[in-house]
Amino acid sequence: MVQKTTQKTIGILTSGGDAPGMNAAVRAVTRAAIAEGYKVKAIYHGYQGLIDGEIKEFTSESVSGIISRGGTILRSARCLEFMTPEGRAKAYEQYVKAGIDALVCIGGNGTLTGAMDFADEYDIQCIGIPATIDNDVNGTDETIGYDTTLNTIMDCVDKIRDTAASHERIFFVEVMGRDAGWLAQCSAIAAGAEAAIVPESKTDVDQLAAYIEKGIRKSKNSSIVLVSESPKCGAMHYADRVKKEYPQFDVRVSILGHMQRGGSPSARDRILASVLGAFAVKSIKEKQHNVMVGMSNGVPVLVPFAKAIQVQDKSDKTFLELVSKLSN
């Protein structure tokens, strides 16, 4: 028989960019917490909602039917005020007023950084759950939302290839991942793209020149190139270079944008969110403090916030080499 805890209250919020599977995590935390004898208080609009006191008690019925829904039923917002000591002081007032004893924060690096600062300042129990489509959080093999987004990109590229082949064009397809090339390189493999161009800081070669010389000039009349978004060297930048340096090629750009965030989460993301959500509650019960729950080699693990928010390059040159090898 499961030993029930003395009834306490767990708060839960989602923050930053939405990611498919956030709702599955909210559901898992809510139901696992209730099963262990906790009350659950849902906080709407992330840290901004915590500051403003947008807090509502959840029951099991509150999360019924949400596992298949994309986005987040708790809504999300980026909150500059929470980045200040004054903003966090207001949030703590509402935290105490709501009778919350521990806080589960679902999101990416910004969310985890906010949770770390909040926990450090007020000595409260915060547990983070990594949810971001970029898959750029340290200490976990995969983040909630990444797999769904990868499948969305693959589906889009499959459709774009039909047009590229019909008109003998080069298509530069821009995907999210401003500081991480993981989405670009893995979706390139999955969709059979001819090349992937990741952030410039990750490579010491002119990726466009290497691609042109090895690929399109030799044997192909059309091709797909996946490019990580960047304000300076995204898909438009490389398309303009081709027009100037290789005017013989017909070039088009497709920026997938926010469609990458939406959609029903994949089975993999639902499972990951469910496992991590339940593990977060287990960690609270075991009095763990100020850590993120992650997944390492199929096993849930605890990662200190300070380690989780470290900038990590999950891109892998062997993956880029594989894209090149398979495109011959």
Side-chain angles (χ1 to χ4, degrees):
M1 182 176 180
V2 176
Q3 182 180 359
K4 303 295 184 180
T5 184
T6 301
Q7 191 170 60
K8 293 185 177 181
T9 301
I10 294 176
I12 181 172
L13 62 80
T14 55
S15 177
D18 62 301
M22 278 184 163
N23 282 327
V26 170
R27 173 182 179 271
V29 171
T30 299
R31 292 193 168 173
I34 291 172
E36 292 292 347
Y38 292 95
K39 285 185 178 180
V40 176
K41 294 286 183 75
I43 301 160
Y44 287 81
H45 297 108
Y47 292 123
Q48 187 63 58
L50 184 56
I51 290 173
D52 297 337
E54 294 184 63
I55 303 171
K56 175 184 176 182
E57 185 167 346
F58 261 22
T59 66
S60 289
E61 289 73 22
S62 301
V63 294
S64 179
I66 70 170
I67 193 169
S68 62
R69 292 172 57 181
T72 165
I73 64 165
L74 298 184
R75 309 293 186 262
S76 187
R78 300 187 189 277
C79 181
L80 295 178
E81 188 177 5
F82 192 77
M83 298 172 67
T84 68
E86 296 77 13
R88 291 191 292 273
K90 292 179 183 178
Y92 184 66
E93 287 180 13
Q94 295 294 340
Y95 176 92
V96 173
K97 182 179 178 181
I100 298 172
D101 300 291
L103 187 63
V104 176
C105 304
I106 305 170
N109 283 302
T111 301
L112 300 175
T113 300
M116 179 181 70
D117 292 341
F118 195 43
D120 286 345
E121 286 183 16
Y122 294 100
D123 191 26
I124 61 178
Q125 196 175 14
C126 282
I127 303 293
I129 298 179
T132 169
I133 67 170
D134 293 341
N135 197 35
D136 61 350
V137 175
N138 196 20
T140 184
D141 292 341
E142 200 164 303
T143 58
I144 297 167
Y146 169 68
D147 183 68
T148 304
T149 298
L150 195 61
N151 279 279
T152 296
I153 294 170
M154 181 182 68
D155 185 56
C156 289
V157 173
D158 286 349
K159 291 176 171 62
I160 289 170
R161 184 175 292 283
D162 293 340
T163 294
S166 297
H167 296 273
E168 299 185 329
R169 290 170 176 162
I170 299 175
F171 263 87
F172 287 95
V173 181
E174 185 175 290
V175 300
M176 290 183 171
R178 184 182 300 258
D179 299 313
W182 200 242
L183 271 177
Q185 64 187 21
C186 287
S187 57
I189 293 173
E194 280 65 38
I197 299 179
V198 299
E200 287 292 337
S201 61
K202 307 292 193 297
T203 182
D204 55 1
V205 300
D206 184 336
Q207 296 175 86
L208 178 64
Y211 152 67
I212 291 290
E213 293 299 327
K214 185 177 186 302
I216 192 73
R217 276 188 165 181
K218 289 190 174 182
S219 62
K220 296 191 176 184
N221 295 318
S222 69
S223 63
I224 303 288
V225 181
L226 274 293
V227 184
S228 291
E229 66 179 349
S230 168
K232 293 184 178 180
C233 51
M236 292 300 299
H237 165 80
Y238 288 107
D240 288 342
R241 275 194 57 189
V242 170
K243 290 175 184 177
K244 293 175 183 177
E245 300 173 27
Y246 309 97
Q248 68 270 35
F249 298 122
D250 188 9
V251 181
R252 293 292 186 275
V253 171
S254 182
I255 299 176
L256 300 187
H258 283 80
M259 74 168 66
Q260 295 166 84
R261 290 194 181 278
S264 180
S266 65
R268 184 165 176 166
D269 272 328
R270 297 184 197 192
I271 295 168
L272 177 63
S274 298
V275 170
L276 294 184
F279 189 57
V281 173
K282 180 176 183 289
S283 300
I284 289 172
K285 185 178 179 181
E286 294 175 351
K287 304 188 184 306
Q288 297 292 337
H289 280 255
N290 314 337
V291 292
M292 179 194 79
V293 293
M295 192 70 76
S296 178
N297 297 318
V299 178
V301 294
L302 296 174
V303 183
F305 279 142
K307 178 181 178 180
I309 64 173
Q310 289 176 357
V311 176
Q312 182 189 30
D313 175 17
K314 285 191 174 182
S315 61
D316 188 335
K317 286 188 177 181
T318 60
F319 278 77
L320 295 176
E321 292 168 359
L322 180 61
V323 173
S324 177
K325 182 182 294 184
L326 299 181
S327 69
N328 289 332

